[in-house]
Amino acid sequence: MKITILTLFPEMFDGFLTNSIIKRAIGKKVVEVKIVNIRDYTLDKYGRVDTPPIGGGAGLIMKAQPIVDALRKNSAKDSFKILLSPKGKQYSQQNAVKLSKCEDIVLICGHYEGVDERVNYYVDDLFSIGDYVLTGGEIGAMVIADSIIRLLDGAISSPSLDEETFSDNLLEYPQFTEPKEFEGKKVPDILYTGNHEAINKYRRKESLKITRSNRPDLFAKHDLSKQDKKLLDEIDKEIDEPKWLTDALEKGKKFTK
């Protein structure tokens, strides 16, 4: 796969491309990542890539010409072109899975107060990574690139992808490490039994419980199986996790309200 990122600030991607899983994926030629400076394509005699909005208003707007020319020079006919924009649809794991099937992706980073609306006609989709405001699309481009690259064959071990948060509209169950007890907080005994069927049941219940509590929007999208419904009945009738874990989950629920 090839991912091309069009940006006004290429240096922001230095750390992203030279660390951890992304660096290894590039080294193994699982993915090629190209960073393009939009400033190199401006025809403005003063070298500008932005201008005050027509009709007045705050801030500066990125001009269409440099973006469109950079896009034309650095994309192919079959490239899937994405503009990072707060006007776009909210990005999800399902989008990441679909995009991981593409051979060529171009990500365009907006900046300043926005992008000339006419740029929208040169792309295939607009995405936003959330309902908040950032200084530019660079962080969003890293988020999308990271979420795609990790799904590519050879980027990480496939077992790591089998059970993940959001994979079926459920949040992941709690994970623990040694020691068994830390400052009075103990790992649930069920995880030490070696009974994989019981452990899987416990983890599924926790995923259902956490998702229903913290992300009811995701829970509403989940297609409940007969077993899920049975587990939810059990959840409603009992509290089987330690109090410290219940308190931690409750704090998370309050924060997300």
Side-chain angles (χ1 to χ4, degrees):
M1 171 183 278
K2 180 179 180 181
I3 298 177
T4 302
I5 301 175
L6 309 186
T7 173
L8 293 177
F9 301 95
E11 63 278 5
M12 289 185 67
F13 294 89
D14 291 347
F16 174 70
L17 298 177
T18 56
N19 287 281
S20 190
I21 293 171
I22 306 301
K23 180 182 179 180
R24 293 199 298 271
I26 294 172
K28 293 164 65 176
K29 300 189 184 305
V30 171
V31 64
E32 174 189 353
V33 181
K34 180 181 179 182
I35 307 298
V36 175
N37 192 336
I38 297 172
R39 296 179 191 276
D40 294 340
Y41 293 87
T42 182
L43 298 179
D44 185 277
K45 64 180 180 180
Y46 299 109
R48 295 195 62 173
V49 293
D50 53 29
T51 186
I54 295 174
L60 299 170
I61 306 299
M62 288 179 66
K63 299 167 70 172
Q65 176 272 313
I67 297 174
V68 173
D69 281 359
L71 185 59
R72 284 175 173 156
K73 292 287 186 178
N74 295 280
S75 63
K77 185 178 181 180
D78 60 348
S79 299
F80 193 84
K81 308 169 189 68
I82 298 169
L83 174 64
L84 279 295
S85 169
K87 298 178 183 177
K89 64 183 70 169
Q90 187 157 323
Y91 190 70
S92 69
Q93 181 66 16
Q94 288 70 32
N95 297 135
V97 172
K98 290 180 180 178
L99 290 173
S100 70
K101 310 299 181 184
C102 297
E103 292 296 325
D104 192 303
I105 295 171
V106 181
L107 301 172
I108 305 171
C109 305
H111 215 86
Y112 305 123
E113 192 66 24
V115 174
D116 188 309
E117 188 75 12
R118 291 167 292 188
V119 172
N120 296 0
Y121 294 95
Y122 297 88
V123 301
D124 298 300
D125 217 333
L126 279 70
F127 280 119
S128 167
I129 62 168
D131 295 335
Y132 41 83
V133 180
L134 299 174
T135 55
E138 283 74 19
I139 293 175
M142 293 181 207
V143 168
I144 292 178
D146 186 287
S147 70
I148 295 170
I149 293 171
R150 64 186 303 280
L151 294 175
L152 302 178
D153 290 341
I156 60 177
S157 60
S158 56
S160 298
L161 302 174
D162 291 341
E163 293 184 16
E164 292 194 312
T165 296
F166 306 122
S167 60
D168 59 354
N169 291 315
L170 289 181
L171 303 179
E172 193 173 22
Y173 48 79
Q175 299 274 27
F176 303 92
T177 61
E178 296 295 346
K180 182 176 182 179
E181 183 173 345
F182 175 73
E183 295 186 351
K185 303 169 182 64
K186 295 182 179 179
V187 176
D189 291 334
I190 185 69
L191 298 178
Y192 285 99
T193 64
N195 185 332
H196 296 295
E197 182 177 350
I199 291 173
N200 289 338
K201 177 182 176 182
Y202 161 79
R203 287 175 167 171
R204 186 67 174 183
K205 285 176 70 174
E206 290 301 309
S207 287
L208 289 166
K209 183 187 305 180
I210 294 169
T211 308
R212 185 174 66 172
S213 175
N214 292 2
R215 289 294 303 276
D217 56 321
L218 280 179
F219 187 77
K221 299 176 184 178
H222 177 65
D223 187 14
L224 292 171
S225 66
K226 290 183 179 179
Q227 179 65 12
D228 287 341
K229 293 177 182 178
K230 183 178 179 182
L231 292 176
L232 285 170
D233 286 339
E234 293 183 14
I235 290 170
D236 291 336
K237 294 176 182 177
E238 63 184 31
I239 298 178
D240 53 7
E241 66 266 326
K243 186 178 184 302
W244 72 263
L245 181 56
T246 304
D247 292 343
L249 295 176
E250 188 63 26
K251 287 181 181 178
K253 181 180 178 182
K254 290 179 181 178
F255 181 77
T256 56
K257 283 184 178 180

